[in-house]
Amino acid sequence: MKRKINDMKLRLPAVSINEAVARSVISAFIAELNPTVEELGDLRCAVSEAVTNCIVHAYPNRQSDEPAYIYISARLYDTREVSVEISDNGCGIENVALARTPAFTTGESDERCGMGFLVMESFTDSLTVKSRPGKGTTVLMRKILKP
């Protein structure tokens, strides 16, 4: 049975500079598990993609003075599992299955490649996406580090 050894929660404004902040915080947080450079890079990339998706897609009609946030929670387990959940209170996704299709994008096709979920999935051991239109989206990523 796995046992949680550490956890954290973070709330960041949904602005582009915070993509780098989220990546750095996750790197520092998982350091106690002594991940390989490859494992660290994988998680950094997956977190970066999830946060970027929140910034770009979750709050499309937001006025600049309205607060918009990204919520990040992470857990470490004694089984060397890392769990990272990234959520927003944005517009949500109408059809999650369609949104997970490679090359699907709600943005201009010349601006976005529609590979966000595929990128997150390729760098983690599991990816769960839950969303409610008008309420927001939650992405749960899990990665099991090598012994």
Side-chain angles (χ1 to χ4, degrees):
M1 179 182 209
K2 67 183 176 184
R3 182 180 59 84
K4 182 176 66 173
I5 59 174
N6 202 356
D7 66 347
M8 66 135 216
K9 291 183 186 248
L10 179 65
R11 182 184 84 165
L12 295 169
V15 295
S16 60
I17 190 66
N18 285 333
E19 176 269 330
V21 172
R23 211 176 41 224
S24 296
V25 167
I26 289 298
S27 296
F29 182 71
I30 69 170
E32 74 177 273
L33 292 180
N34 197 24
T36 65
V37 171
E38 182 180 353
E39 291 167 335
L40 185 60
D42 288 352
L43 274 170
R44 286 172 56 91
C45 187
V47 166
S48 178
E49 192 63 38
V51 169
T52 298
N53 277 355
C54 288
I55 293 166
V56 171
H57 298 293
Y59 303 103
N61 301 318
R62 179 176 72 93
Q63 301 299 318
S64 62
D65 59 339
E66 292 177 2
Y69 294 101
I70 299 165
Y71 304 89
I72 302 170
S73 63
R75 292 178 190 85
L76 304 179
Y77 296 93
D78 62 353
T79 56
R80 297 187 51 75
E81 179 181 328
V82 179
S83 169
V84 180
E85 183 177 278
I86 298 175
S87 61
D88 61 65
N89 294 323
C91 63
I93 300 169
E94 189 74 37
N95 183 332
V96 171
L98 180 60
R100 290 184 73 163
T101 304
F104 175 82
T105 182
T106 58
E108 296 296 322
S109 60
D110 60 338
E111 293 178 12
R112 304 281 166 213
C113 66
M115 303 298 273
F117 289 124
L118 183 63
V119 168
M120 288 178 243
E121 195 168 38
S122 69
F123 288 115
T124 60
D125 292 308
S126 73
L127 175 71
T128 305
V129 181
K130 294 181 182 175
S131 190
R132 291 179 45 208
K135 300 291 182 185
T137 301
T138 298
V139 173
L140 175 62
M141 300 176 283
R142 290 191 168 102
K143 178 110 177 139
I144 299 180
L145 306 180
K146 295 175 184 144

